[in-house]
Amino acid sequence: MKTYLSLLWIAAICLCVSGCSNYRELNQIGVIIGLGIDENENLEQPYKVTYQIINPSGLSQGSSSGGQGLPVINYTVTAKTLVEALKKASIVIPREHITSHLSLIIIGEKLARNDLSLLFDALDRGKQARTSIPVFIARDGTAEKLLGVIEPFEVTPVKSILSTSQNNQKMYGIVSNVQAYEVISMLLSEGKDLSLPGISINKPSEKAEEAGNLENTSPSAMQVKGLAMFRKGKLVRWLDGDEARSVQLVTSEVKSTALVFPCSINENITVTATGIKSQMKTAIRHRQPFIHTDLNVMGEITETTCQKDLSNHKVLKELEKEVQKEITKTIRIAQKEKTDIFGFGDSLSRTNPSYWRQHKQNWENLFSSAKISMNVNVSIVNTGMRTNPYEVN
């Protein structure tokens, strides 16, 4: 009987003390979902940090044009360090702000060109910090400006940037999302340089940061704009279009894309690639690094304006040469900038560890003069409803 009563008392106590002791309503805290970091003109406070915070009353309306204001509010402060900026934000943010729901980080181009080497120290060091957050570069502008755009499709600018970049990676493959922990890893790596996706404003206007942007049939919106190449933590060059996509092809980051091949003046063949796999191989020949890449592309011909027999094996070989030429061109650009954004150095460190230990400090120079070879294999699994294009008389 005593045992039974004791169990009842224990159960009653557990019921009293159970639950979330630190539970708080959403309208009691400031949930930070976006972080923008720009260079400040005042050298004593070198960082200008923008925090994008959820506005619960704006979200409750179901759209960014609701009667309780916009779904997000941006606050900007300047500080000596990022940690100081987070604490200092309490000057302007009326609620206790938390970063547990931080979804992306945007870095202004001007700051990226100076140095990113130790920018992520606070993120990696903090006890409650998360490093699985995508990082972007604000091309031709500032992070503050990007986070201020009122987007037509998505509820918040943060969601729009993430959705746009993910859609691009899925459909075209110019860039791929890079998480903060990957950025830190590449900054520390001796065999792979950093590359980050660029984001800019398409059709910038004075109303881009106002609700009036939604009243335009051609509003300002986010767009993926190139791939930023870094050397020793500093942005040195942008790659655009096919050049940016070539990097993703070599690193097998492309899920699907449209490869357009010229066959004569104003005539092209379009191959929609759905299966892309590459393999990097490195070796030492005559005491110099040799780099080889095998790229296998499987796809179907989805459009053509060429009067060519698509079943002819020679036509397929011409397509393979075009892909090879574009990728080789991009690798040459990287060699000229002495930035190994492909990770050939990492591959060499695994295949020839002894050579790597002796020469890793000089890898940027060795990479710039390394011999390059490329093998592309394009497999056409379908030519659509016809083998050859129709002829117009």
Side-chain angles (χ1 to χ4, degrees), residues 69-87:
L70 297 172
V72 291
I73 302 172
N74 291 348
Y75 294 95
T76 300
V77 296
T78 59
K80 297 176 182 178
T81 68
L82 298 185
V83 173
E84 183 190 33
L86 183 63
K87 299 295 184 181

Side-chain angles (χ1 to χ4, degrees), residues 137-174:
I137 302 297
R139 186 170 182 180
D140 302 324
T142 64
E144 181 183 16
K145 198 75 174 177
L146 274 177
L147 287 174
V149 176
I150 304 301
E151 267 284 334
F153 271 109
E154 300 292 353
V155 178
T156 68
V158 166
K159 175 62 176 173
S160 179
I161 293 172
L162 291 174
S163 298
T164 301
S165 61
Q166 290 167 359
N167 190 46
N168 171 267
Q169 184 177 4
K170 180 181 178 181
M171 300 295 293
Y172 194 50
I174 288 181

